[in-house]
Amino acid sequence: MVTETFSPEETFALGVRIGKEALPGSIYTLSGDLGVGKTVFTQGVAKGLGIDEPVSSPTFTIVQIYEEGRLPFYHFDVYRIGDVSEMDEIGYEDCFYGQGVCMIEWAELVEEILPEHYTKILIEKDVEKGFDYRRITIEQV
Ligand code: ADP
Ligand code: MG
């Protein structure tokens, strides 16, 4: 599924929809360049799950856990990870294989530990279509 957005609000709204539909145990990966909108999208998903506290990128902790929504929400940003073993140290398996929803920014950096099936989200810019244009591709793998 490809969705085009033309503002941060539209990307947020798409995230809200995903958050509302998310099932227990869902894993979403997010790929795309720095500043493309991965965190904006994630903030929408959190909203859709009923999380009202502010969500920002957990860059220095790798994962931020939100328990107040309809389902537990595990927001990973693995941009600064040095080695995949750091994922073991933070106990990622409890998140990946639990009853919550995982969102993993920069998932390609931890590809080897991703489960067999998940929902892959790619956000891309296209400068020819404007500064705020984003193409968001969502596929099941
Ligand atoms: P990332 O997490 O991918 O590094 P962020 O979500 O933190 O990126 O930042 C995305 C930036 O791009 C924000 O400043 C946001 O306002 C801006 N932006 C402009 N247009 C869009 C759009 N269509 N969708 C999402 N963000 C957009
Ligand atoms: Mg981010």
Side-chain angles (χ1 to χ4, degrees):
M1 183 186 84
V2 177
T3 305
E4 297 178 299
T5 71
F6 298 87
S7 68
E9 291 76 19
E10 278 183 60
T11 297
F12 183 90
L14 179 64
V16 171
R17 224 170 72 207
I18 300 286
K20 283 186 174 159
E21 292 169 358
L23 300 172
S26 303
I27 297 185
Y28 299 88
T29 66
L30 266 174
S31 301
D33 296 339
L34 206 60
V36 82
K38 298 182 296 298
T39 296
V40 168
F41 180 85
T42 300
Q43 288 165 340
V45 173
K47 180 77 182 171
L49 283 166
I51 295 159
D52 288 323
E53 71 180 280
V55 170
S56 58
S57 250
T59 298
F60 296 102
T61 52
I62 300 180
V63 66
Q64 189 73 51
I65 301 175
Y66 302 89
E67 308 258 21
E68 66 178 89
R70 177 171 66 81
L71 296 168
F73 185 49
Y74 306 109
H75 179 200
F76 294 81
D77 187 329
V78 301
Y79 183 63
R80 283 172 204 277
I81 205 163
D83 189 274
V84 188
S85 64
E86 289 174 43
M87 291 293 279
D88 293 320
E89 284 159 29
I90 61 164
Y92 81 93
E93 285 186 316
D94 292 339
C95 307
F96 279 24
Y97 303 104
Q99 293 302 300
V101 174
C102 291
M103 182 64 62
I104 313 162
E105 296 192 42
W106 293 100
E108 58 271 32
L109 298 179
V110 295
E111 188 134 45
E112 62 212 82
I113 59 161
L114 294 179
E116 193 182 353
H117 298 292
Y118 55 90
T119 304
K120 194 171 183 173
I121 302 169
L122 173 65
I123 310 182
E124 298 166 291
K125 293 186 187 180
D126 183 342
V127 282
E128 286 178 12
K129 297 195 175 177
F131 189 69
D132 290 344
Y133 172 87
R134 302 292 190 269
R135 181 171 52 247
I136 303 173
T137 307
I138 303 180
E139 64 172 326
Q140 308 293 332
V141 299

